[in-house]
Every structure is written in C-alpha cells, then in structure tokens.
Amino acid sequence: MPDRPPIVKFDHVEKRYGDGPVILDDLSFEARRGDFVSLIGPSGCGKSTILKLISGLNPITRGTATVEGVAPTEAAQELAFVFQEPTLLPWLNVQHNVEVPLKLRGTDRTKRVKLAQTCLDLVGLKERATYYPRQLSGGQKMRVSIARALSLSPKILLLDEPFGALDEMTRDHLNEELLAIRAQKEWTAFFVTHSVAEAVFLSNRIFVLSANPGRLHREIKVDLPYPRTDDTRQSPEYQRLVAEVSKLLRSVESAHR
C-alpha cells in the first residue's frame, strides 16, 4: 500500500517581512498524518513564524508550502491555533467561549452547544461550563483554549508555547492530558516550545532550528512508545534524549551568540 501524501510540506521556503532580513531560509520538511512535531531553537529563529506560514496567516516569500495538498490559505478549515495566552473573552462563560469559533463558522446553536460540551468533557472542564475566566486557574484557562480549538475538529493543531507561562507540575500534567486527547482525536500537531523535556515527552519528531536566519539544523526522532506517562520521564531513554537534544540546542545557541 503506497504511503499517504504528507499533510504538510515545505519546499525550500524562505520568509522575510518586507525589505527586512530573512527570517526563515531554505526550509524543507514533510509531516505525515499523526505526527507530533516540536519546534525548538533560539529566540528569533522563526518557530512561531513557521506556524503562521502553515496556517496561512502570513504569506511565504519564496518556495512552496502545501497543507493537505493545497496552499495554506485554502486549507484554513483544516487547522486550529492555540496561542501562548488563552485569549478568552472575559464577559463570556467557559461554554460560550468554546462556542465562539463555531458561531463564527455559522454552526447552528444546537450543534455548537453539543460540540462545546463534548470538548469541555475532553479537557475535564464540563462541570465548569458556567464559570467565567476570572474564576479559573491558569491551567484551566489553557484547557478552555484547547477545547475551543478542538471544537473545530481540526486535522492539524498549531500550538505556540501554550504551557510556557505555567509552573512545571501543571505543565507536566497538561502535557499528559494533551496526549490523551490526541489519542482520541488523532490530529497532527506542530508545537513550539523552549522546553527540551516537554518536546521529548510530547513528540515523535523534534526540529532543532538555528537562527539568523532560521534554518532546520537537525531533526531528532523520538521513538518512545505512546501513551506517555510520568513513568516515561523516569526512563533511561527519555533522559538520554533530553540530554542529547539539550546538548544540540546549547551548541546552536552558542553559535547564535
């Protein structure tokens, strides 16, 4: 049986803003359905820019990119974005915050209520559907943001440091929850992080980027079995991979300085 075509493909992609410096240079990769790709590298290497190019929010300067075989702007319905800040509307309760993108898509009220409730159940917040953002912890707000993205039933989930502002224990717990949700929904993920441990725990592929301009320095494959739990973090192979990626990242950052 032939391989399925890549869900995302970059071919010699370059990105610059106006007449400014090149942000990304000669970037080529393919991602298959079900991949969990973490992007890691020095500040300014273009990690978030890659997500924006995949989503079609920013145009490519040179080269080609496809999502599901078409230009990113034509595949917007296939993607959802989770940002570093939850960006919840403070005057809406949790249920209505999750319904917002469905309402914008014109989904009828009965369907969007049901979808929002299903997604809140996935992230463990169904009982807090009537709460307002001010009544939630930081981790709970981020769960609402993830539920809102999942309500669109995306094939690709783009996550831009969603847990970066959270404490380590909360982050570890949400990492486990995110993978549990993915096991049920089977989306492809592109995940920006500054945490090597987080990248190794979540991913089956890690792209280490260099900076000035941003290039794919190396790809690390992570063959740790799913599901991943706290026991995964104690395994020698996980710790070996964390050490390997950390060393590689330090060498990239040293060259960047």
Side-chain angles (χ1 to χ4, degrees), residues 3 6 27 40 46-47 66 73 76 78 84 87-88 99 103 117 125 128 132 143 178 181-182 201 203 209 222:
D3 287 341
L27 185 63
I40 196 164
K47 299 184 292 294
T66 57
T73 51
E78 310 291 350
Q84 185 171 4
T87 62
L88 304 180
E99 289 182 36
K103 192 172 183 179
Q117 289 174 344
L125 287 177
R128 288 178 167 78
Y132 285 82
R143 289 185 198 178
L178 185 64
I181 294 166
R182 177 171 165 267
F201 184 81
S203 314
L209 301 169
V222 181

Side-chain angles (χ1 to χ4, degrees), residues 8-202:
V8 175
K9 182 177 181 179
F10 274 35
D11 190 10
H12 301 289
V13 165
E14 177 188 302
K15 175 62 183 175
R16 71 168 74 221
Y17 293 97
D19 296 326
V22 175
I23 305 299
L24 293 169
D25 182 50
D26 197 28
L27 185 63
S28 297
F29 66 82
E30 295 183 358
R32 304 277 167 178
R33 285 173 176 79
D35 275 344
F36 199 118
V37 180
S38 280
L39 308 171
I40 196 164
S43 295
C45 69
K47 299 184 292 294
S48 297
T49 299
I50 291 172
L51 300 192
K52 291 173 184 175
L53 297 181
I54 294 171
S55 69
L57 289 174
N58 279 342
I60 288 164
T61 304
R62 187 174 292 126
T64 58
T66 57
V67 177
E68 287 280 53
V70 299
T73 51
E74 297 176 40
Q77 297 281 322
E78 310 291 350
L79 304 106
F81 226 123
V82 179
F83 298 96
Q84 185 171 4
E85 296 296 328
T87 62
L88 304 180
L89 300 176
W91 58 88
L92 295 181
N93 65 24
V94 165
Q95 170 78 28
H96 291 152
N97 262 288
V98 176
E99 289 182 36
V100 165
L102 295 167
K103 192 172 183 179
L104 292 173
R105 280 195 178 179
T107 306
D108 71 80
R109 185 178 183 280
T110 301
K111 185 175 181 180
R112 73 173 184 256
V113 167
K114 184 176 181 180
L115 279 169
Q117 289 174 344
T118 298
C119 291
L120 285 172
D121 196 26
L122 274 174
V123 300
L125 287 177
K126 193 173 183 179
E127 301 304 316
R128 288 178 167 78
T130 59
Y131 283 38
Y132 285 82
R134 65 179 179 275
Q135 297 172 287
L136 303 177
S137 68
Q140 289 169 338
K141 290 176 185 176
M142 191 51 67
R143 289 185 198 178
V144 177
S145 182
I146 291 170
R148 183 175 57 191
L150 294 177
S151 73
L152 298 172
S153 301
K155 292 182 180 178
I156 302 170
L157 194 59
L158 307 172
L159 304 108
D160 194 356
E161 275 197 276
F163 309 137
L166 303 176
D167 65 83
E168 185 177 357
M169 187 176 296
T170 301
R171 176 189 290 219
D172 286 352
H173 183 60
L174 288 178
N175 284 171
E176 293 168 26
E177 287 190 352
L178 185 64
L179 290 183
I181 294 166
R182 177 171 165 267
Q184 298 179 58
K185 291 294 183 179
E186 297 183 340
W187 26 262
T188 302
F190 284 84
F191 188 96
V192 169
T193 180
H194 284 283
S195 168
V196 171
E198 183 172 58
V200 173
F201 184 81
L202 291 171

